[in-house]
Amino acid sequence: MHTPLLSLRDDEARIRPGRPHAGATCGEALVTLLERHGVEYVFGIPGVHTVELYRGLAASPIRHVTPRHEQGAGYMADGYARVSGKPGVCFVITGPGMTNIATAMAQAYADSIPMLVISSVNARRHLGIGAGRLHELPSQREVFAGLTAFSHTLLDAADLPQVLARAFTVFTGERPRPVHIEIPIDVIVAPAPDLADTPVVAVPRPAPDAEALAAAAGLLAQARRPLILAGGGAIRAGDSLRGLAERLQAPVALTINAKGLLPPGHPLLLGSTQSLSPTREMLCEADVVLAIGTELGETDYDTVFDGNFRIAGQLIRIDIDAGQLMRNVRPTIAIAGDARAALSGIVAGLRTFAAPGDAPWGAARVAAARAAIDAGYDAPARTQAALIETIAATLPGVIFVGDSTSPVYVGNLTHDAAAPRTWFNSSTGYGTLGYGLPAAIGAKLAAPDRPVVCLIGDGGLQFTLPELSSAVEAGTPIIVIVWNNAGYGEIRKYMAARDIAPVGVDPHTPDFITLARGFGCQARTAADLATLIPVLREAAQARVPTVIEINEADWFAKVQG
């Protein structure tokens, strides 16, 4: 990937010495245009095919962050985007750099996260030839078309402003998803003296149809048992969502990426319990269900994989992606457009109707459902829930960034986030491992004054462990809590439950404390909540990352004993 200069050939070699011509190059214009689009960070590892993208970066206010693997670059960009609401931007080398970042792009695609991946590609005259050139893929653009809103090959430097504008329109005016722009190495160095002066035009989100809003308001006004399902697509609409729920006295269930849209303790908040029986029973009782910015997909509504999620009443769906409106569950009323505008329109429409005469069903039914759910948690789940709530109480304003690990699965059900963009993880959507650590780095860059806690298992941490070095280098004092169950504990349980002899789930567990210190981090262990609290407080004041290891067996024995 980071090939010695001696291996360069032909066009690759010609981009090496100095500035190839007078005036700004396409690569330099790119940096200036990114500045104009409000980009603050670029995540990437320079390589011989991308060095010309870096020509203008040293003098730019854009900060470059170097991961230890391109997958880490993608996860950092993802974490940054989720907390800031701005697209995460990556510079990636041709070929192996792109295949390395593919998993991160797929996670961002599944969760509708704005990510701009700018890569190099071989010179224009070599595209599709199959001559075995350095980092060559048969068609890099086609490989990544399925992981992006679009994948574009920039064949002329003059088209750069237009292609970037199209990308940022996806991020701000459509359903956000990754965009890939590849620039041939001969185009990167092409003259582009006037491109940086191109004005940036913001494209607003599409407004919903007025007739559809009126119909939705009429249906909700007649509802006696309304219920609201809100997803990550509603993350900008918290005030409108809360106002509507209170007007209707409708219970509200939130997906993982929508946590925080209603505050903890709100009497209408069901949490993220759509896969549990008490909430599913309420869904079947509801006569009108309003679903906003949610796919109604498996990883939020059927995490038990029993196929029993269903909506019995009439369904109103709001989504910025018109195609999504007809996937999974077909609606009675479909509204394509911005969630905040749609909810505001429905609230305005409800003012023309009298309030329901029946006693509201919402708060009492929510309290009963939550009591039944709480009674169903076993001792390990209660212990892990206490861990998360202790962290939240000790570190006000904390942002939790999770991996696919046992405490995260519990927290997805039990934790009610204090605000949006403060609880997210990779256990939904694409469901990758190794996400938590680099995504926490991106989150900390987006919110440097807030504590950021990464919840990750010992198995997942080994996917991206070297990013501890990136966290030290980037000056991001994140707190990494390693839940150590000596292997892939959840898969081990899954195999045992199906009477499958466990194979491949007990990898060697390294000494994380020694490794963390070797990377330049603080490292501690915590045996119970009493020992965890002072360690958290110390970590919150540290100038370097802190790794806190929790041994699952010892923790359960002490806390439950």
Side-chain angles (χ1 to χ4, degrees), residues 174 177 227 249:
E174 301 178 12
R177 274 180 159 159
L227 189 144
Q249 282 298 293

Side-chain angles (χ1 to χ4, degrees), residues 120-176:
S120 53
V121 73
N122 294 93
R124 285 171 290 185
R125 69 186 184 89
H126 297 142
L127 295 178
I129 299 299
R133 307 193 72 82
L134 180 67
H135 302 330
E136 184 179 35
L137 285 169
S139 174
Q140 184 172 267
R141 182 188 61 78
E142 290 182 4
V143 169
F144 295 93
L147 304 179
T148 57
F150 70 87
S151 178
H152 180 87
T153 306
L154 187 73
L155 297 177
D156 190 324
D159 295 333
L160 177 62
Q162 177 181 331
V163 177
L164 278 178
R166 182 182 168 202
F168 280 87
T169 297
V170 170
F171 303 146
T172 60
E174 301 178 12
R175 181 180 187 175

Side-chain angles (χ1 to χ4, degrees), residues 210-405:
E211 290 186 9
L213 292 178
L219 190 57
L220 288 167
Q222 299 169 14
R224 292 298 175 264
R225 297 181 304 281
L227 189 144
I228 297 173
L229 303 174
I235 202 165
R236 297 169 61 252
D239 290 344
S240 298
L241 174 67
R242 181 172 179 172
L244 178 61
E246 292 173 350
R247 167 68 169 75
L248 297 172
Q249 282 298 293
V252 179
L254 304 172
T255 67
I256 304 309
N257 290 324
K259 278 183 179 289
L261 286 176
L262 259 64
H266 194 286
L268 295 172
L269 178 60
L270 279 165
S272 305
T273 56
Q274 300 91 318
S275 295
L276 303 184
S277 294
T279 300
R280 287 182 167 183
E281 290 170 8
M282 288 188 68
L283 270 167
C284 290
E285 294 171 19
D287 55 357
V288 179
V289 174
L290 172 63
I292 312 139
T294 174
E295 292 179 325
L296 300 177
E298 179 180 75
T299 58
D300 276 304
Y301 294 90
D302 192 16
T303 58
V304 293
F305 308 114
D306 64 4
N308 287 330
F309 168 75
R310 65 189 186 91
I311 294 172
Q314 298 188 79
L315 174 63
I316 303 166
R317 292 191 72 173
I318 300 170
D319 206 289
I320 199 166
D321 180 356
Q324 186 61 44
L325 290 167
M326 295 299 164
R327 297 190 185 107
N328 292 325
V329 185
R330 291 187 64 183
T332 306
I333 298 174
I335 301 172
D338 176 66
R340 183 162 57 185
L343 288 175
S344 296
I346 291 173
V347 169
L350 283 170
R351 295 192 186 109
T352 64
F353 294 91
D358 297 349
W361 83 309
R365 192 67 177 85
V366 167
R370 292 200 70 138
I373 289 168
D374 290 345
Y377 293 130
D378 60 16
R382 292 178 185 278
T383 299
Q384 291 172 323
L387 166 67
I388 292 165
E389 298 315 314
T390 298
I391 296 169
T394 307
L395 304 174
V398 65
I399 297 170
F400 287 98
V401 183
D403 210 74
S404 291
T405 188

Side-chain angles (χ1 to χ4, degrees), residues 2 15 19 25-32 34-35 41-60 62-67 70 73 89-94 118-120 183 188-189:
H2 310 297
I15 73 171
R19 185 188 295 268
T25 66
C26 179
E28 290 171 296
L30 169 65
V31 171
T32 302
L34 290 176
E35 292 174 17
Y41 293 93
V42 164
F43 305 91
I45 304 174
V48 295
H49 281 185
T50 56
V51 291
E52 286 293 337
L53 294 178
Y54 286 77
R55 183 176 290 281
L57 204 53
S60 169
I62 295 174
R63 179 182 170 190
H64 185 270
V65 178
T66 307
E70 285 88 359
V89 179
C90 302
F91 282 0
V92 182
I93 194 70
T94 323
I118 298 172
S119 79
S120 53
I183 310 178
I188 294 175
V189 297

